[in-house]
Amino acid sequence: MGLGPFSDDAWRKALQRRRPSGSRLGRLWNALLEPERPLLAVEVRPGGIGVVRARRAGGVMSLVSAAEVDLPPEVVRPSLTQPNLADPERFRAGLRAALERAGVLDGAPAALVLPDPVGRVALVPAAELPASRAGDVDELVRFRLRKSLPFDVREARIAHARSPRPQDPVLTVAAMGSVVDAYEEVCRSVGLEPGLVELSALALCRAAFPPGASGDRLLVNWDDGYATLVLVREGWPVLARTLTGPVSSPAEVAREAAQTLLYARERLESPGLEQAVIRAAGITHAEAAAVLEGPLGVVPEALDPWPALGTSDPGPAAQALAGAASCLAGAA
């Protein structure tokens, strides 16, 4: 993708696998800066599993196949602190079915896109995280987040990235290691190697706004049981919120969207939105836009990552598969 609204080292791995210190840790952070992008992405949603497969030829990405399998609501329960896979065997069967529909019959490296409630996104003032060696910054991030996480920070997987502009906050993401491990273990059991793991909203942000996008722009990732709002200013996130449970009902999402813009105006000196983009997986785009147009003051657009993969008609599951498609589109 190159440097655009989201620099590669910031958005390629919003949630990166972390292992014990030593030489492997050094290699890990080198991979964070220049990871090898998989050409297969698996997206987990509260109501289903999506698989998108692409190919790269001459530096151009193109879609090979895409498939989505619905899951009963009791199979995946996204949570920051509790086990997410209430029925691992049914989840594994759904993943196998999605892979088969997409024509993935052998093992492969894969990107794993997880629901936003799995991780905690925090934007930390750059002055609180002075630039240093990656391992040192990792420990500073843990120290900075220790009181805001509802679990022991020593159990967290941590990732962080800086904007090219020194005044922008540092993007940090934390997730409970055991929660992410459970997803990865099922992937490995069907032959996938999830070397790249990230949250849905962060993958979507790469596809939502074109390089050089100016002003304040809002992404809304609205799915079953949660909604995430990410405010991006001059190509860098300055505010991120994930609403879960009853708060993700249409009336509550509208109210929280209005409160988010009020906060941005009063605390972040926002002049208003240049653009709003919605990924609506649990309801139609028309329904989501009707709810949010008034509070946002602009007509929300539907997220469309598919042109970056060489197609404009991915079928009726386009929004359900948008996180996986966005993840691959970021490699274009």
Side-chain angles (χ1 to χ4, degrees):
M1 181 179 73
L3 293 180
F6 310 110
S7 64
D8 284 349
D9 57 340
W11 295 87
R12 280 184 173 183
K13 286 192 176 180
L15 188 59
Q16 169 65 34
R17 293 181 60 200
R18 185 176 188 275
R19 291 290 182 256
S21 59
S23 60
R24 289 192 68 183
L25 182 59
R27 291 196 299 270
L28 168 67
W29 285 109
N30 287 337
L32 173 62
L33 296 177
E34 291 296 337
E36 181 180 351
R37 271 282 183 177
L39 296 177
L40 173 70
V42 174
E43 180 174 13
V44 180
R45 297 180 42 250
I49 302 175
V51 173
V52 176
R53 187 161 59 113
R55 68 165 61 93
R56 183 188 293 108
V60 177
M61 294 284 287
S62 60
L63 180 68
V64 174
S65 60
E68 196 253 348
V69 170
D70 292 336
L71 291 176
E74 66 272 15
V75 174
V76 178
R77 298 173 179 171
S79 170
L80 188 63
T81 59
Q82 300 299 316
N84 283 208
L85 302 183
D87 192 334
E89 288 306 315
R90 291 175 78 180
F91 179 78
R92 181 179 292 107
L95 176 57
R96 281 201 185 100
L99 291 169
E100 290 173 1
R101 290 185 187 181
V104 181
L105 305 179
D106 299 313
L112 180 58
V113 182
L114 298 179
D116 296 336
V118 171
R120 173 71 57 82
V121 177
L123 294 156
V124 180
E128 298 182 16
L129 295 174
S132 183
R133 294 182 304 172
D136 295 336
V137 177
D138 181 65
E139 293 308 314
L140 286 173
V141 171
R142 289 178 183 276
F143 180 79
R144 176 62 172 75
L145 298 182
R146 73 193 190 287
K147 293 182 179 180
S148 63
L149 295 176
F151 55 86
D152 190 333
V153 72
R154 291 173 295 183
E155 300 177 8
R157 291 194 189 182
I158 299 288
H160 52 84
R162 293 179 183 274
S163 165
R165 296 189 303 269
Q167 71 271 22
D168 288 334
V170 178
L171 171 67
T172 70
V173 184
M176 195 168 180
S178 60
V179 169
V180 180
D181 288 344
Y183 285 108
E184 291 184 333
E185 287 167 6
V186 174
C187 287
R188 293 192 183 98
S189 74
V190 297
L192 302 179
E193 180 51 46
L196 171 65
V197 185
E198 63 183 336
L199 299 181
S200 175
L202 300 184
L204 295 166
C205 270
R206 284 197 302 271
F209 309 117
S214 61
D216 285 9
R217 298 168 188 262
L218 185 73
L219 170 80
V220 181
N221 182 27
W222 193 348
D223 209 332
D224 295 326
Y226 77 89
T228 296
L229 299 94
V230 182
L231 182 68
V232 173
R233 172 171 295 170
E234 304 297 333
W236 193 260
V238 294
L239 179 64
R241 305 177 62 203
T242 294
L243 320 168
T244 59
V247 181
S248 64
S249 68
E252 289 296 324
V253 171
R255 186 179 70 83
E256 294 295 335
Q259 290 296 319
T260 296
L261 293 191
L262 178 63
Y263 178 90
R265 184 167 61 248
E266 294 182 348
R267 301 292 296 275
L268 302 177
E269 300 181 348
S270 175
L273 294 180
E274 294 284 339
Q275 182 186 25
V277 177
I278 302 175
R279 184 276 189 98
I283 60 176
T284 68
H285 170 72
E287 291 171 327
V291 169
L292 291 173
E293 181 178 352
L296 298 181
V298 296
V299 178
E301 305 169 16
L303 181 74
D304 185 12
W306 300 97
L309 298 181
T311 182
S312 59
D313 185 18
Q319 290 294 294
L321 294 165
S326 296
C327 184
L328 296 185

